[in-house]
Amino acid sequence: MKIHRLILAVIVALSCSVPSVIAQNKVHDVDIQVTLDTDGSAHIREVWDMTLSRGTEVYLGRENLGDIKILDLTVSAETGETYQTDRSWNTDRSFEQKKNHCGLNSISGGYEICWGIGDYGRRTYTVDYTLTNLVKSLDDYDMIHYQFYTPNDFQGEHVKVTIEKPGFVMDTLTRIWAFGYDGYIWREDGKVIAESENPLEPSHSIILLLRFDKGTFDSKSVQERPFSAVLDRALEGADEPDVPMSKAEELLYTILGAIFFFGMILSLDRKSVV
């Protein structure tokens, strides 16, 4: 993990020394509020603070949904305007045709939540929708196991997910796990909160696993298996903590990084000569 960070730092330093040909879209902050209902559904509100300079639309992939459906989608912008929700989303439409419109694009195993950028620059979009069957009824517990932030084309500087059920306190009887990102998960004021500590690369995700006592929800989404089977499978792909490097290893990787950096600079200088 350490060497990956070193290489990334070298690439960032190199990119700063060379003019960018294409401006990149950026995600400054994502705040995801999840409000659970007793029937196992959830109202989701996502607020995306972004700087956009290319493309025609924003899309959020939601895959492996199973019996989960996305309903009642609305999108509004910082201007106060609420977008028109289309019955289906056509990705081939032009920039102007997508402006002030949103909709769902069906993909294998799920949907993409889509909306037109409208105007480039610093934008804040509020995305509201309902997820049915988010809570699963297992043999011995009720459970949420869901990817709330999916891999995308952006680097997210900061993401926070808050999960609550009105009238219910998520204390230590609610067990919690998190996967796919560098950050934290904890309980606070009867809610469960997950938050990134460092920027999320395009390949990162936020997957949360919550275990509730049986009967906390009255979900019609039944899975005939114990919770332990879900947890064991989830832990199979979990990253182990980084093992600190020795000072000799840190020195070696620093020297290798410097050689790589200056080698790339010399290579670019040669290519610039006609």
Side-chain angles (χ1 to χ4, degrees):
M1 297 293 287
K2 295 287 187 180
I3 190 169
H4 291 168
R5 292 181 187 140
L6 177 61
I7 293 173
L8 176 62
V10 171
I11 293 173
V12 169
L14 181 60
S15 65
C16 292
S17 66
V18 181
S20 176
V21 178
I22 302 176
Q24 300 294 309
N25 294 332
K26 297 180 180 179
V27 176
H28 305 290
D29 184 77
V30 183
D31 182 58
I32 302 175
Q33 299 282 336
V34 182
T35 304
L36 302 173
D37 200 346
T38 302
D39 67 359
S41 63
H43 173 72
I44 312 293
R45 168 163 286 183
E46 304 188 19
V47 180
W48 288 70
D49 177 7
M50 317 173 73
T51 295
L52 300 168
S53 54
R54 60 187 177 92
T56 60
E57 65 180 52
V58 179
Y59 61 94
L60 314 176
R62 298 291 180 264
E63 302 178 10
N64 302 315
L65 293 185
D67 62 352
I68 295 175
K69 295 186 182 301
I70 298 177
L71 305 175
D72 307 323
L73 172 67
T74 63
V75 175
S76 58
E78 77 287 346
T79 58
E81 183 171 12
T82 299
Y83 291 1
Q84 177 179 320
T85 303
D86 297 343
R87 184 168 299 179
S88 62
W89 187 258
N90 182 356
T91 61
D92 295 326
R93 286 183 296 176
S94 68
F95 185 95
E96 287 299 322
Q97 290 172 329
K98 294 178 181 178
K99 187 174 183 178
N100 300 334
H101 286 257
C102 66
L104 297 176
N105 179 43
S106 295
I107 59 176
S108 178
Y111 304 94
E112 290 172 341
I113 299 172
C114 307
W115 65 89
I117 289 175
D119 295 295
Y120 292 134
R122 186 77 177 253
R123 306 299 312 273
T124 300
Y125 303 100
T126 300
V127 185
D128 288 283
Y129 56 95
T130 297
L131 285 179
T132 69
N133 298 321
L134 179 62
V135 178
K136 308 302 180 186
S137 177
L138 305 182
D139 293 343
D140 47 0
Y141 291 98
D142 293 337
M143 173 195 76
I144 293 175
H145 189 204
Y146 187 74
Q147 186 168 261
F148 288 94
Y149 180 88
T150 60
N152 53 52
D153 295 335
F154 311 115
Q155 179 177 16
E157 295 179 3
H158 176 259
V159 180
K160 183 179 180 180
V161 181
T162 303
I163 302 177
E164 64 176 316
K165 183 180 186 292
F168 177 77
V169 176
M170 298 187 189
D171 54 19
T172 53
L173 295 178
T174 301
R175 300 291 305 277
I176 55 178
W177 294 263
F179 308 92
Y181 66 102
D182 186 5
Y184 305 95
I185 184 170
W186 73 96
R187 306 173 195 86
E188 181 178 306
D189 297 330
K191 306 173 184 179
V192 170
I193 302 172
E195 187 171 13
S196 63
E197 180 183 25
N198 297 313
L200 286 85
E201 297 300 319
S203 61
H204 286 170
S205 61
I206 292 182
I207 301 171
L208 303 184
L209 176 60
L210 281 68
R211 192 194 75 180
F212 306 92
D213 282 346
K214 187 75 172 173
T216 303
F217 296 87
D218 183 22
S219 175
K220 304 304 181 186
S221 182
V222 177
Q223 296 183 358
E224 296 180 350
R225 55 175 174 165
F227 179 80
S228 59
V230 179
L231 180 60
D232 289 345
R233 184 167 183 180
L235 293 175
E236 285 178 3
D239 286 338
E240 294 294 330
D242 285 342
V243 177
M245 289 190 296
S246 66
K247 291 184 178 180
E249 289 175 321
E250 290 181 354
L251 177 60
L252 173 62
Y253 289 138
T254 300
I255 294 172
L256 291 175
I259 293 172
F260 175 81
F261 175 75
F262 288 111
M264 291 296 294
I265 293 294
L266 292 174
S267 175
L268 287 174
D269 287 342
R270 292 192 187 98
K271 290 180 180 179
S272 65
V273 178
V274 180

